[in-house]
Amino acid sequence: MATVTCRDFQGRFESSDDSPRNDSPDLSIQAHLRDCPSCRNFIEDLGKIRAVGAQLAASDPEPPARIWFSLRAELEKEGLIRDTPSKSPSKSWVGELFSGRFSVLPRPVLAGGYLAALLAIAFGLSGPINSRINRKRWLDGNQSSMEPLSAQLMSAEKASFSSPPASETPVTASLHQNLEIVDNYISLCENSVREEPENELAREYLYEAYQQKADLLAQLNER
Amino acid sequence: MSTAQFVPLRFNWKTGLLAPGLLLITSSSVFAHNIEKHFKVEPRSVVTIHNPSGKVVVKAWTKSEVMVIATHTSDKVEVDAEQTGNRVDVMTHQISNSISPEDLRADYQINVPEDAELQIHDDSGEVSVANVLGDMNVETVGAGVDLEDAAGYLTVRTVGGSFQCIRCAGRLEVSSISGSFKLLSLRSYHVHAQTSKGNILFDGEFLPNGIYRLKNYSGVIEVHFSPGDSFDLSATSLKGKVNSQASLTPPAHAHPVYSKFGNAILGTFNAGHAKVELSSFDGTINILKRE
């Protein structure tokens, strides 16, 4: 019986459909599996991935219609597809994508392209450069993303000062004094960000001020 | 390998005569406790100093030895200096629960080999380090930090303490909230200095491929340059002013974001070998010719 190495074992996966052939059970493979915990784990992990994949495939969630519109608009803009009116854009367009002019491409390539396009659109929606597609949403998102930070710092501050120290040392006095300075900057930066939501430098200053406040509160808590 | 030894401080005849008299009129707690310890170390030793309050003075010398001289007046604290392998840990301990800030004070004079690495924590007081070429990390709350002829990777963090660095080299990262910085005769290839309320003065060399980032919220950032310097400059103050005496070549591509807001000066001075980024929220930025 020939000795099978881990590389040989995993090589069989690459050359087959993800599993070692069971139609002709190979004793050397079984022996290797018995002796090699690493390859056994590999097989177990693969089984779990398959199970989860099967569940996902069964659920097959339908993406919201706006995704299809955005994707279509983006591909039209790139000149990859032409405008073909249809009553149900999502189904017919996706159908065309997979069975029409792109059908010559292997499915993994199509899926990869689809994922890349989705990511490009998601990046466009969330990034500052292509924010024109949904600029307001991006701004609202940025504003709302700061709110939890501010709230968390507020509650941390309350917790820090819930039990005031018996006597304030020069060090804690200095920390409090600097906390006031940082609070003042936070307030200035918040105003600035409110006035100019696209101003990334102001936002950067605001985040840094939050960070400084968090550091100061941590130092106060240690004392 | 602990070669630590207690060495009594030299007898001073004046002190000897005065001491009995003083003993009659003062309580014992005001007498200074003096400790001197010596530790033999290998190259690249590490020295950590943890002192809540007081003056820490560290100087390099040519011996392969760390010498610690500590002075404290209160009986409510004690000073430990211990060696573990090639590391020497120096620490002020509080041995009483009720203790005033004055009682907490201990002063140190420490000599280390040139290549020693330092980690210093001193909340209030003063930290001064000279001629140490190893990496250094200094953290304080209110204590000011002075470095002279230091090199290596230097990181300094204060809350309100000021920072001064003279003839420092290597890599420098310093941050504070209300401390001001003076970076004089610097020869660092990487400087990142950030304070909120303090001023920043940079008067050093812009080394080729060096990166110099100075940032504050308010206050003044002042940078001095010589005609022979070579740097790419980006100076932005969102709500304040930017003044420059440097004749800059405008950038080929305007900065995509920052130049839209606030006041900004962007451009290249000579060949643009170093990168200088200055930014302030509502402070003033001055880029001045060196006198």
Side-chain angles (χ1 to χ4, degrees):
Chain A
M1 187 169 60
T3 310
V4 174
T5 63
C6 293
R7 183 176 287 185
D8 296 338
F9 180 78
Q10 288 175 15
R12 300 206 178 198
F13 282 84
E14 286 166 16
S15 60
S16 70
D17 60 346
D18 288 351
S19 60
R21 289 188 189 99
N22 293 328
D23 47 352
S24 55
D26 190 333
L27 291 177
S28 60
I29 286 281
Q30 286 176 4
H32 178 78
L33 263 182
R34 201 170 45 242
D35 298 337
C36 176
S38 166
C39 288
R40 269 205 309 276
N41 288 340
F42 177 66
I43 290 289
E44 278 172 22
D45 289 346
L46 201 68
K48 284 175 192 165
I49 291 166
R50 276 185 166 170
V52 172
Q55 279 174 10
L56 280 174
S59 64
D60 192 20
E62 177 70 18
R66 63 183 166 76
I67 294 288
W68 301 120
F69 284 119
S70 305
L71 186 53
R72 182 186 177 81
E74 199 65 23
L75 290 177
E76 274 176 5
K77 203 171 74 184
E78 298 286 330
L80 292 172
I81 59 167
R82 277 188 227 112
D83 188 21
T84 47
S86 163
K87 281 180 185 173
S88 58
S90 67
K91 296 284 181 196
S92 63
W93 179 72
V94 174
E96 182 187 7
L97 192 68
F98 283 94
S99 58
R101 69 188 69 170
F102 294 117
S103 59
V104 289
L105 295 172
R107 286 206 159 220
V109 173
L110 277 176
Y114 165 72
L115 187 63
L118 270 184
L119 285 173
I121 290 168
F123 181 76
L125 286 173
S126 62
I129 297 163
N130 295 323
S131 59
R132 61 184 180 277
I133 297 171
N134 205 342
R135 187 166 165 273
K136 188 172 182 312
R137 223 181 71 157
W138 174 71
L139 293 174
D140 290 347
N142 269 306
Q143 300 280 25
S144 59
S145 71
M146 288 186 301
E147 282 162 14
L149 269 177
S150 186
Q152 278 175 18
L153 280 170
M154 286 260 278
S155 69
E157 191 169 8
K158 273 185 192 163
S160 298
F161 300 137
S162 58
S163 53
S167 64
E168 193 167 62
T169 65
V171 171
T172 52
S174 170
L175 289 171
H176 281 118
Q177 198 185 335
N178 281 281
L179 195 57
E180 273 178 34
I181 291 170
V182 172
D183 277 338
N184 182 36
Y185 286 129
I186 287 177
S187 158
L188 286 173
C189 292
E190 279 174 344
N191 287 339
S192 194
V193 169
R194 221 169 283 132
E195 285 164 14
E196 297 172 326
E198 287 176 310
N199 188 338
E200 289 194 11
L201 191 55
R203 197 179 300 281
E204 196 182 302
Y205 271 101
L206 179 56
Y207 282 130
E208 280 170 4
Y210 282 146
Q211 179 66 51
Q212 284 176 335
K213 182 166 181 172
D215 288 347
L216 283 174
L217 289 174
Q219 288 200 51
L220 275 163
N221 267 332
E222 282 169 11
R223 284 157 213 280
Chain B
M1 177 198 49
S2 179
T3 57
Q5 50 182 308
F6 282 94
V7 179
L9 291 183
R10 250 180 236 149
F11 180 79
N12 180 320
W13 66 271
K14 285 179 189 165
T15 315
L17 288 178
L18 284 172
L22 285 171
L23 196 61
L24 295 173
I25 56 169
T26 57
S27 71
S28 64
S29 64
V30 300
F31 281 106
H33 301 264
N34 296 305
I35 294 163
E36 180 174 333
K37 280 189 171 186
H38 294 248
F39 305 92
K40 289 270 178 223
V41 290
E42 300 293 320
R44 295 186 168 272
S45 55
V46 177
V47 179
T48 72
I49 302 152
H50 193 96
N51 186 35
S53 172
K55 193 171 179 177
V56 176
V57 178
V58 183
K59 286 179 185 167
W61 65 4
T62 51
K63 296 180 188 177
S64 299
E65 186 180 297
V66 173
M67 180 183 75
V68 180
I69 298 177
T71 309
H72 63 98
T73 53
S74 170
D75 289 328
K76 294 177 179 174
V77 293
E78 67 180 10
V79 166
D80 273 350
E82 285 172 359
Q83 182 168 26
T84 310
N86 205 25
R87 192 184 77 227
V88 176
D89 299 309
V90 180
M91 185 178 267
T92 310
H93 281 296
Q94 182 177 327
I95 51 175
S96 166
N97 284 333
S98 61
I99 187 164
S100 70
E102 294 77 35
D103 286 335
L104 210 53
R105 187 181 172 99
D107 295 329
Y108 290 93
Q109 187 197 317
I110 299 172
N111 286 74
V112 300
E114 262 191 349
D115 64 352
E117 177 187 324
L118 299 179
Q119 292 172 21
I120 303 173
H121 187 115
D122 190 23
D123 283 342
S124 65
E126 195 184 320
V127 176
S128 166
V129 181
N131 301 104
V132 179
L133 306 180
D135 294 346
M136 211 177 292
N137 175 261
V138 184
E139 289 187 13
T140 78
V141 176
V145 180
D146 282 2
L147 304 184
E148 250 184 67
D149 298 296
Y153 188 173
L154 315 173
T155 52
V156 178
R157 252 179 100 189
T158 80
V159 175
S162 60
F163 172 68
Q164 179 169 284
C165 200
I166 302 176
R167 293 180 301 274
C168 292
R171 183 185 173 106
L172 171 66
E173 287 177 12
V174 51
S175 66
S176 178
I177 290 174
S178 57
S180 289
F181 305 154
K182 280 185 183 173
L183 314 174
L184 306 172
S185 304
L186 227 63
R187 273 191 57 81
S188 293
Y189 60 88
H190 179 110
V191 176
H192 188 178
Q194 177 165 357
T195 177
S196 296
K197 206 184 173 188
N199 301 326
I200 304 176
L201 168 62
F202 181 96
D203 189 351
E205 283 187 44
F206 296 108
L207 300 179
N209 303 317
I211 297 177
Y212 304 85
R213 284 197 185 105
L214 314 179
K215 188 173 186 179
N216 69 6
Y217 276 74
S218 56
V220 177
I221 297 178
E222 188 171 311
V223 171
H224 295 178
F225 68 94
S226 297
D229 285 337
S230 170
F231 54 83
D232 255 339
L233 173 72
S234 153
T236 308
S237 182
L238 274 179
K239 311 275 179 189
K241 287 182 180 172
V242 182
N243 308 307
S244 173
Q245 293 179 344
S247 305
L248 302 170
T249 309
H253 306 286
H255 200 291
V257 179
Y258 294 172
S259 53
K260 274 203 299 186
F261 303 99
N263 299 305
I265 291 181
L266 312 166
T268 304
F269 188 72
N270 289 331
H273 287 145
K275 191 171 185 175
V276 179
E277 293 176 4
L278 316 173
S279 71
S280 183
F281 187 79
D282 60 8
T284 302
I285 299 176
N286 294 324
I287 300 130
L288 307 175
K289 262 185 200 162
R290 194 170 281 126
E291 294 296 321

